[in-house]
Amino acid sequence: MDINSRTLDAKSAYKLLIGSIIPRPIAWISTLSADGVGNLAPVSFFTCVGRKPPKVSLSLQSKSDGVTLKDSFRNIRDTGEFVTNLATLPQVLPMHRSAAEFEPDVDEFDAVDVEKEPSALVAPPRVKGAPIALECTVDRIFSSPDGLDHVVWGEVVNFHVRDDIHVNGRIDFGALAPVGRLAAEYTVVDNAFVPPLAEEVLRERSGRRMKRIDGRGEEYSAVESAGWSPSGAVAE
């Protein structure tokens, strides 16, 4: 099947993008409003874009109404600071809950029961228990002509790394359980390999569906359920 992207509306294109670009790392973003209200938001349109100085990129869309700016973007724009916390399996439930659209005056750390930890060089707190947190200041912001989609580049001014996973200047990622995005669902990175793989391993895995760890059968597909939404929230 070939789908001409110029025939698609934003919602349809978004569905195809989030199902095609997988797995996506999740930036669990903590910010403060200009009034000092804490905010948390998972952002899976996220990557690194520089190393000297180190920089990350966040792509932020409007809220579900298609018009209102997300609180996290307004906070980043207004204060010039944010923290990218690594999303891992032990904190996946509060991370998922923080995707909800709370009112701007609600402290989302409190709403999803996450403790704050002071950052070293920026005002927004980091997530207590997150093994890695990148403290960032805004480098630049690119906005779409309609003002609804924004790309933020942030310079990483401080790396907070849990002591036990910082080894010889590198991250021992095997000691983590990072969570990634698969369209409206999640995946946990719990295996690693270096090619080549044995032929029997390739044969065994060829055509096999993903293993589910949530108790649903391997034939389950969230995109066929009523709880699926293009914003990525699964509510059943």
Side-chain angles (χ1 to χ4, degrees):
M1 176 182 292
D2 291 307
I3 304 170
N4 189 325
S5 64
R6 294 181 179 179
T7 68
L8 302 174
D9 58 19
K11 181 178 179 180
S12 298
Y14 183 72
K15 288 180 181 180
L16 294 177
L17 283 170
I18 63 174
S20 301
I21 304 172
I22 56 173
R24 301 189 306 283
I26 302 171
W28 196 10
I29 300 298
S30 53
T31 59
L32 288 176
S33 71
D35 296 326
V37 179
N39 182 273
L40 283 169
V43 176
S44 62
F45 279 24
F46 159 67
T47 190
C48 53
V49 290
R51 55 187 181 133
K52 186 62 179 178
K55 293 179 185 177
V56 298
S57 175
L58 312 174
S59 294
L60 299 158
Q61 295 81 38
S62 58
K63 289 188 176 183
S64 58
D65 62 9
V67 177
T68 309
L69 294 175
K70 289 186 177 179
D71 297 334
S72 51
F73 173 71
R74 289 192 294 104
N75 294 349
I76 291 170
R77 179 198 62 191
D78 294 348
T79 68
E81 296 181 333
F82 62 96
V83 180
T84 299
N85 302 276
L86 179 64
T88 59
L89 193 60
Q91 294 181 311
V92 70
L93 180 57
M95 185 271 291
H96 179 64
R97 292 176 60 208
S98 70
E101 295 181 350
F102 295 94
E103 292 300 318
D105 60 351
V106 173
D107 189 309
E108 296 187 16
F109 280 85
D110 296 336
V112 301
D113 196 25
V114 168
E115 292 187 60
K116 300 172 182 174
E117 193 76 26
S119 296
L121 298 181
V122 298
R126 55 186 173 86
V127 170
K128 185 173 183 178
I132 299 173
L134 313 179
E135 300 177 21
C136 301
T137 58
V138 171
D139 176 80
R140 65 195 73 185
I141 295 175
F142 311 89
S143 298
S144 62
D146 60 12
L148 297 178
D149 295 311
H150 309 274
V151 176
V152 175
W153 282 12
E155 178 179 342
V156 180
V157 295
N158 189 69
F159 290 84
H160 172 79
V161 182
R162 200 175 70 203
D163 290 345
D164 66 293
I165 61 171
H166 187 252
V167 182
N168 298 326
R170 305 184 184 205
I171 303 296
D172 178 15
F173 60 82
L176 302 172
V179 174
R181 206 66 161 117
L182 299 173
E185 299 182 86
Y186 301 96
T187 184
V188 60
V189 182
D190 62 358
N191 62 77
F193 68 91
V194 176
L197 292 173
E199 285 297 325
E200 57 266 28
V201 173
L202 297 176
R203 284 195 300 270
E204 177 190 353
R205 291 180 171 266
S206 178
R208 195 178 78 184
R209 293 184 64 85
M210 288 184 181
K211 178 181 179 181
R212 300 198 64 91
I213 62 172
D214 57 7
R216 296 175 172 87
E218 290 191 6
E219 296 304 312
Y220 172 83
S221 176
V223 298
E224 298 174 353
S225 70
W228 193 94
S229 78
S231 65
V234 177
E236 298 188 45

